[in-house]
Amino acid sequence: MTEMLSYEDVWSRTHHFDPPAIFDKLREERPLARMAYPDGHIGWFATSHRIVREVLSDPRFSHSLEIGHFPVTKYGGPVPQFPAMPGMFIHMDPPDHTKFRRMLAREFTVRRIAELAPHVESVAAGQIEEMREHGAPADLLTTFAKPLVLRVLSDLVGLPYEERERYADAPAITHDPDGDAEESMAVYQQVGALIGETIERKRRQPGDDIISRLLAAGELTDEELGNIVALLLFAGYETTESALSVGVMALLHHPEQLAALRADLSRVDAAVEEILRYVTVNQYEIFRTALEDVELDGQLVKKGETVTVSLPAANRDPAKYGCPAHLDLDRDTAGHLAFGHGIHQCVGQNLARLELRTGLRALLQAFPDLRAVTPAEEVPLRTRGSVFGLKSLPVAW
């Protein structure tokens, strides 16, 4: 297996749980492989846990879109290079990244998120009641996973949940690489207008939310604040909703693991970590660009070359985890990369974990006989976006 990879080769997920089969062969034969990018750039693709972790933690690799090469197409063509928008720190390097991330880090500490637990439990209980009122069968996404995650995120950030029709579908629309560019831009502008209105409202009437606290700190321009709020929405909603819904589907189709968790819900924290490793919904668009020549896995990555890393492949690496293709709630999941690694590791991971364990516990307590309505292979998937997910998940009880 020595031929040049195409980005299309590694963008071919079709399975309801497993990443593309080519990852196993690559990890064994060429864990750092040459790959042709959509814009013609010849860069790299990494699949082993060790190499992925090394790339994500090495300051000689940049996350800047101004010098990087996007590993997938958007709206039918390559993504052009462009500088990061003010405040959009996810694609910045230190010291700019450090400045903006520091402002948000205090909102997502273990202690701060623990204080949110009663509210998250209340929201989950409300969605359970909505499921009961709807009756079985029900779509787990629309009756539970999406509203749970969106309500919690909206309340924390300060977005008006009662106006959610203006922003709830925006991440899925803008993240769809096969969507319409004009529609995506219109939706993004619509969300931007809502955020601008919200900032002005919070300036006059502050509340207990991130927007109000960042306004009070006075360190950001309105443009920076607006982009940070957009980032929290677009990065924090679809990822957690997908992890919850795909995780539930995985449990429903692994009855022995589901039975073990039902029998002892004190294991829910360990279950969440294994689900995060097993489903790894962040896919395709994790990449870094060398700021200087770097020797990596015995090969020379030259300055300016982009390395795309696969978190799903790294989390299925048999050198790190025994029998990685199996869901095993007793597994030691230490070191999994579902939230990334290094300075860009997901700032909201503590919130995501809280939502996942609360959601799973609420579902299993309320519906001891929760079951899938359709075979796993018939569940419609969202495979090509930056976040792997489901289009629906019919369940009954």
Side-chain angles (χ1 to χ4, degrees):
M1 191 176 185
T2 58
E3 69 277 8
M4 174 80 67
L5 282 174
S6 164
Y7 70 93
E8 293 177 326
D9 295 332
V10 298
W11 198 15
S12 57
R13 182 168 189 161
T14 58
H15 197 267
H16 48 284
F17 297 131
D18 298 334
I22 192 176
F23 291 174
D24 293 334
K25 192 170 183 65
L26 284 170
R27 205 170 36 231
E28 181 180 348
E29 299 181 5
R30 288 189 295 159
L32 183 64
R34 276 299 204 180
M35 186 174 80
Y37 284 64
D39 63 359
H41 175 70
I42 303 301
W44 304 85
F45 185 74
T47 48
S48 81
H49 186 280
R50 176 181 56 80
I51 297 174
V52 168
R53 184 182 171 97
E54 186 174 344
V55 170
L56 295 180
S57 61
D58 192 328
R60 294 175 295 176
F61 286 99
S62 168
H63 202 3
S64 171
L65 293 177
E66 199 165 6
I67 63 171
H69 299 268
F70 225 72
V72 294
T73 60
K74 287 280 189 179
Y75 318 124
V79 178
Q81 295 173 326
F82 57 92
M85 294 182 289
M88 196 65 73
F89 65 92
I90 191 172
H91 287 296
M92 295 178 181
D93 299 323
D96 294 329
H97 170 269
T98 309
K99 177 184 71 174
F100 290 113
R101 185 177 172 109
R102 173 183 53 80
M103 298 178 193
L104 276 181
R106 53 180 171 257
E107 297 287 347
F108 295 98
T109 63
V110 172
R111 179 176 179 179
R112 170 65 180 138
I113 296 305
E115 294 171 352
L116 297 178
H119 177 59
V120 179
E121 291 166 2
S122 176
V123 174
Q127 292 309 134
I128 292 293
E129 289 309 307
E130 286 199 20
M131 289 182 68
R132 293 189 194 278
E133 291 176 11
H134 180 283
D139 179 7
L140 187 84
L141 268 73
T142 58
T143 61
F144 188 77
K146 286 187 174 183
L148 167 63
V149 174
L150 188 62
R151 178 60 186 268
V152 170
L153 183 63
S154 297
D155 290 347
L156 176 63
V157 174
L159 292 172
Y161 187 69
E162 64 276 8
E163 297 182 51
R164 59 192 176 277
E165 72 279 355
R166 297 175 64 185
Y167 61 92
D169 296 330
I173 292 172
T174 58
H175 289 162
D176 181 2
D178 301 315
D180 181 80
E182 291 185 3
E183 179 190 13
S184 179
M185 179 58 66
V187 167
Y188 195 87
Q189 289 173 345
Q190 174 180 294
V191 173
L194 169 71
I195 292 173
E197 295 167 16
T198 304
I199 290 172
E200 286 305 312
R201 187 162 57 245
K202 295 294 182 180
R203 182 174 278 118
R204 297 190 303 269
Q205 297 176 311
D208 183 16
D209 52 66
I210 290 176
I211 294 176
S212 297
R213 285 189 285 273
L214 289 178
L215 278 170
E219 299 180 61
L220 299 170
T221 67
D222 281 5
E223 184 180 16
E224 290 170 337
L225 176 55
N227 285 331
I228 286 175
V229 173
L231 177 59
L232 291 174
L233 172 64
F234 283 84
Y237 170 39
E238 194 179 16
T239 49
T240 309
E241 166 261 304
S242 293
L244 178 55
S245 55
V246 179
V248 170
M249 182 176 75
L251 286 171
L252 294 180
H253 290 282
H254 290 81
E256 73 292 343
Q257 298 296 312
L258 177 58
L261 181 57
R262 279 177 171 153
D264 183 7
L265 283 176
S266 69
R267 300 172 61 192
V268 71
D269 283 1
V272 164
E273 297 306 315
E274 171 63 354
I275 286 169
L276 286 166
R277 182 204 68 84
Y278 182 71
V279 305
T280 310
V281 298
N282 285 301
Q283 57 179 9
Y284 303 139
E285 296 181 18
I286 314 298
F287 56 95
R288 302 289 188 269
T289 302
L291 295 171
E292 60 185 78
D293 289 357
V294 179
E295 184 176 328
L296 187 63
D297 195 45
Q299 302 190 74
L300 181 63
V301 176
K302 294 182 180 179
K303 179 181 179 179
E305 292 183 340
T306 294
V307 181
T308 294
V309 303
S310 173
L311 302 184
N315 279 340
R316 294 292 186 95
D317 189 344
K320 178 66 177 178
Y321 303 107
C323 300
H326 292 90
L327 180 70
D328 181 2
L329 302 189
D330 291 323
R331 182 189 307 277
D332 179 2
T333 57
H336 77 71
L337 302 175
F339 292 113
H341 183 64
I343 64 170
H344 289 282
Q345 190 174 36
C346 175
V347 71
Q349 61 182 285
N350 292 327
L351 177 62
R353 287 185 167 100
L354 173 61
E355 292 170 312
L356 292 171
R357 64 175 177 261
T358 303
L360 286 177
R361 188 184 295 112
L363 284 169
L364 298 182
Q365 287 177 332
F367 307 117
D369 59 342
L370 187 72
R371 60 190 181 276
V373 171
T374 59
E377 58 270 17
E378 295 180 13
V379 173
L381 308 178
R382 301 196 313 262
T383 60
R384 284 172 60 83
S386 58
V387 178
F388 172 66
L390 312 178
K391 295 179 180 178
S392 65
L393 180 60
V395 296
W397 57 91

